[in-house]
Amino acid sequence: MPRRLVPAVLTSIVLVVAVGCARNHSEPDAQPSYDGPAQQLITVLSDSPSATTATLTAWDRSGTHWVRAIGPLRADIGGQGIGRTSETQTRSPAGTWSLTEAFGIAATNGTKLPYRRVTDADWWVSDPKSKDYNTFQTCTPGTCPFDESAGEDLGLAGPAYDHAVVIDYNRTPVIPGAGSAYFLHVGDGNPTAGCVAVPAKDLDAIMRWLDPARGPVIDIAVENHPATS
C-alpha cells in the first residue's frame, strides 16, 4: 500500500505473522534484548499499540553489548499504531526487518547502502494482483503492467521521499495483500500510513551511519507488549 502520510481507506483485513521483536526500555541506554546476528540495530519503540509516535534509537554492537549511536529521537509511525498489518491498514509492522537498500528523489546523502535515485518512472508496486507486488519496478506512467492507482510513483511523492530506506517487511516471501512499500523516510510530524518517519537531518545521519557490511536491522515494537504471532 502506498506509504503516504495520510491514512488509506480500510476495505478488508489480511493478517500476516510478524517475527519476534527485540525489546528495550524507556531509559535511553537500556540494552535491547535483540540477540540476532546484526551488528547494527535500530529500535522503534512506542508506549502503546495505538500510539502514532515512537522513540527511535540506533545502536552499534560492541562485543556482547549495544552502544547507543544515534538518538533517542521522536519518530512518526502508522496512524493505526504498531502491530499486524495489511495492504488496507495504516499500521507499522511489528517485528524485526533487515535494511538492505535505499532510494531518493534527491542525490545520495552519503549512505553506504545501495542507493537508487528515482524519477517519475520508478514505482513501488502495491497491486496485490500483480506478480510484481511489493517490489521496485521501472515503467513510464500510463504503460505499467500493474494497477498504477494501487502503486506508488516514487518520484512524485514529494519531500517524504527525498531520501528513504526500504524496510524489508513482506519481501521474502512476498504475501499478496499483506502490505507493501514500508520505508524509513523523511517525516513532517504527522502519522504515516505504516512507515517510520523522522526529520530530514536525523534521517541523513541514520543513513550515513548504516553499513550493509554490518547487516543492519530495524525492530518495530510496543514497550511491554508481547510480540504478535
Side-chain angles (χ1 to χ4, degrees):
M1 126 178 72
R3 303 291 98 199
R4 304 182 185 93
L5 297 181
V6 292
V9 177
L10 304 185
T11 57
S12 63
I13 297 177
V14 181
L15 298 182
V16 63
V17 176
V19 303
C21 298
R23 293 288 183 270
N24 67 345
H25 303 289
S26 56
E27 294 82 2
D29 290 309
Q31 288 289 291
S33 63
Y34 170 83
D35 60 359
Q39 298 296 304
Q40 289 184 321
L41 169 68
I42 295 175
T43 54
V44 179
L45 189 66
S46 71
D47 58 12
S48 78
S50 60
T52 60
T53 62
T55 299
L56 183 151
T57 309
W59 307 83
D60 281 309
R61 190 191 292 277
S62 178
T64 59
H65 292 84
W66 290 98
V67 178
R68 182 162 55 95
I70 298 173
L73 307 172
R74 177 190 183 278
D76 297 309
I77 55 175
Q80 291 181 301
I82 290 173
R84 290 178 173 178
T85 192
S86 76
E87 193 61 46
T88 58
Q89 295 175 298
T90 60
R91 188 171 289 126
S92 298
T96 307
W97 320 104
S98 57
L99 301 171
T100 55
E101 61 181 301
F103 67 88
I105 297 170
T108 179
N109 53 9
T111 185
K112 299 181 187 71
L113 294 173
Y115 185 82
R116 177 186 289 114
R117 191 167 185 182
V118 296
T119 71
D120 64 0
D122 294 315
W123 300 77
W124 204 275
V125 182
S126 294
D127 176 5
K129 297 179 181 179
S130 171
K131 65 179 178 58
D132 297 319
Y133 178 67
N134 201 26
T135 66
F136 171 87
Q137 298 293 324
T138 298
C139 52
T140 302
T143 70
C144 298
F146 50 83
D147 182 357
E148 294 180 13
S149 68
E152 189 159 19
D153 189 326
L154 302 178
L156 297 180
Y161 290 171
D162 279 352
H163 296 107
V165 178
V166 179
I167 296 173
D168 288 341
Y169 165 80
N170 193 32
R171 298 192 74 190
T172 308
V174 176
I175 301 172
S180 61
Y182 292 85
F183 310 126
L184 171 60
H185 66 65
V186 178
D188 66 357
N190 292 306
T192 73
C195 290
V196 177
V198 295
K201 64 179 179 61
D202 294 326
L203 182 60
D204 286 344
I206 292 167
M207 289 179 67
R208 285 191 289 266
W209 166 79
L210 287 168
D211 183 351
R214 304 189 71 203
V217 299
I218 186 169
D219 180 78
I220 304 172
V222 180
E223 188 171 20
N224 300 320
H225 191 75
T228 304
S229 60

